[in-house]
Amino acid sequence: MKLKKIESCDRIDFILNRLIGKKVLHLGCADWPFTQSKLDRGTLLHTKMQRVANNLVGVDLSETGVRLM
């Protein structure tokens, strides 16, 4: 059996391209304990998802992370 060659790609771009105009439920959205540093650097995935998704709901167990967002 011959395996199909898969090109590598940027994980974030891959995700964001599939969310354009979609309704999305983002589980683990806060990325605690890195929430504040990612917000400061503009690298929090949930923030990027907000730019492309039609409707985005985030859920996370970390109250602190959600509060920071």
Side-chain angles (χ1 to χ4, degrees):
M1 181 170 100
K2 191 170 184 171
L3 297 176
K4 184 178 177 182
K5 184 178 178 181
I6 300 173
E7 294 183 35
S8 68
C9 65
D10 181 75
R11 177 181 73 94
I12 302 301
D13 288 342
F14 179 85
I15 293 168
L16 295 177
N17 284 328
R18 277 142 189 85
L19 302 182
I20 296 170
K22 303 255 175 95
K23 294 179 182 179
V24 179
L25 173 61
H26 185 192
L27 302 176
C29 64
D31 204 11
W32 180 258
F34 310 106
T35 314
Q36 189 61 60
S37 63
K38 288 188 173 194
L39 283 168
D40 293 344
R41 292 191 320 262
T43 59
L44 187 67
L45 179 58
H46 192 76
T47 304
K48 293 179 179 189
M49 292 168 74
Q50 284 177 317
R51 296 181 195 135
V52 298
N54 186 39
N55 188 359
L56 177 64
V57 175
V59 177
D60 201 292
L61 291 174
S62 171
E63 291 180 34
T64 304
V66 170
R67 206 172 15 256
L68 285 170
M69 292 172 60

